[in-house]
C-alpha cells in the first residue's frame, strides 16, 4: 500500500523559563520497559522503580512532551533496530518513541485524523499497529507509515489485541471486529455483546 506522509523529529528539552503547573497523575496505560514501570495518561509519562514505585523520571505534556494526553503504551523493536523502544500513542500528536535513556522522537502524520491515536499494538514482524479515533487502523515499521487494511480505513478504534494475523479491534460504535485470513468479522449485540461501545480488549490463549 502507498505510504502516508509523516514527520519524524526529535523532541528537544524545554527552554529555560517555563514554569509548569503540577497536575494529578491519572494513568490510562502501563508497561514494563528497561526494568522499570512506565505509566502514561493525561498527566504525561512517568518512569517508576518497579519494586519501590519511586519516581525515576517524568515527562509532562506541553513541557517535555507535546500538549496531548497519552492514550496507550507498548514496547517494540521497530524494523532492524537493535534495541527496543517505548512507544506512546497520543490524542492528537501522533506517536512518541522513547529510548531507555530518555531520548524521544515524535512520529507525526501530516493528516490530522491520523495523528489522533487511541491504541498501539506491537507486531511480531517488527513495527506497530496504531488505532485512530476516526480514521481506522494504520501501521508504522520505523520508516514507513501506511494504512493497515482497506476494510479498516474509517473505523473509530478504541482498543487492539492479538497480532497482525489474528487481530481483534474494539470500536466506539460497531462492537468488536476480528480480522483474520483477510476476512473481517463483526461482533455486536446480535452476537452477544451488551452494546457496541467497546472500551478495552485483552487476548489470552484460545
Amino acid at each position: 500500500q502507498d505510504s502516508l506522509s509523516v514527520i519524524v523529529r526529535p523532541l528537544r528539552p524545554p527552554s529555560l523559563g517555563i514554569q509548569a503547573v503540577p497536575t494529578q497523575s491519572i494513568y490510562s496505560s502501563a508497561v514494563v520497559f528497561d526494568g522499570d514501570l512506565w505509566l502514561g495518561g493525561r498527566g504525561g509519562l512517568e518512569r517508576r522503580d518497579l519494586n519501590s514505585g519511586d519516581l525515576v523520571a517524568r515527562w509532562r505534556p506541553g513541557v517535555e512532551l507535546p500538549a496531548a494526553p497519552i492514550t496507550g503504551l507498548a514496547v517494540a523493536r521497530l524494523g532492524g533496530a537493535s534495541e527496543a523502544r517505548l512507544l506512546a500513542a497520543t490524542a492528537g500528536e501522533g506517536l512518541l518513541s522513547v529510548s531507555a535513556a530518555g531520548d524521544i522522537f515524535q512520529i507525526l502524520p501530516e493528516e490530522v485524523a491520523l495523528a489522533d491515536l487511541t491504541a498501539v499494538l506491537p507486531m511480531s514482524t517488527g513495527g506497530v499497529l496504531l488505532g485512530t479515533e476516526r480514521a481506522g487502523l494504520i501501521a508504522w515499521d520505523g520508516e514507513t507509515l501506511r494504512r493497515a487494511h482497506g476494510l479498516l480505513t474509517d473505523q473509530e478504534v478504541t482498543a487492539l489485541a492479538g497480532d497482525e494475523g489474528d487481530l481483534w479491534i474494539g470500536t466506539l460504535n460497531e462492537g468488536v471486529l476480528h480480522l483474520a485470513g483477510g476476512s473481517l468479522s463483526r461482533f455486536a449485540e446480535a452476537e452477544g455483546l451488551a452494546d457496541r461501545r467497546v472500551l478495552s480488549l485483552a487476548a489470552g490463549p484460545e
Side-chain angles (χ1 to χ4, degrees):
Q1 299 185 19
D2 294 338
S3 61
L4 301 166
S5 297
V6 63
I7 299 169
V8 180
R9 59 192 177 199
L11 295 185
R12 305 299 185 188
S15 302
L16 296 177
I18 292 179
Q19 182 176 0
V21 177
T23 59
Q24 184 178 5
S25 296
I26 301 175
Y27 311 119
S28 60
S29 190
V31 294
V32 175
F33 173 56
D34 194 41
D36 283 333
L37 179 65
W38 298 66
L39 302 137
R42 287 190 297 175
L45 181 66
E46 291 185 2
R47 179 175 186 172
R48 291 184 174 272
D49 184 276
L50 187 59
N51 297 314
S52 67
D54 291 340
L55 183 67
V56 176
R58 173 183 288 146
W59 296 264
R60 298 157 294 178
V63 185
E64 297 88 3
L65 301 179
I70 290 175
T71 56
L73 296 175
V75 176
R77 185 175 282 105
L78 299 176
S82 59
E83 296 181 351
R85 295 181 72 92
L86 176 77
L87 302 176
T90 73
E93 291 288 345
L95 185 69
L96 305 178
S97 175
V98 187
S99 73
D103 299 321
I104 303 176
F105 279 83
Q106 182 182 20
I107 298 95
L108 183 64
E110 292 190 351
E111 185 177 335
V112 173
L114 300 180
D116 203 352
L117 304 179
T118 56
V120 53
L121 179 70
M123 295 185 289
S124 59
T125 54
V128 288
L129 293 174
L130 303 168
T132 70
E133 186 171 24
R134 58 189 182 277
L137 197 63
I138 55 178
W140 170 251
D141 64 5
E143 295 183 357
T144 303
L145 185 71
R146 59 178 175 80
R147 294 194 181 277
H149 199 284
L151 296 174
L152 302 168
T153 58
D154 58 357
Q155 301 294 333
E156 297 173 305
V157 178
T158 57
L160 298 171
D163 58 46
E164 60 270 34
D166 186 22
L167 180 64
W168 297 88
I169 304 158
T171 70
L172 188 64
N173 57 18
E174 292 194 38
V176 175
L177 308 180
H178 183 214
L179 182 63
S183 63
L184 187 67
S185 303
R186 301 173 187 267
F187 299 86
E189 292 97 335
E191 290 75 28
L193 291 188
D195 61 54
R196 297 188 177 191
R197 185 182 184 187
V198 177
L199 300 180
S200 62
L201 295 173
E206 303 180 1

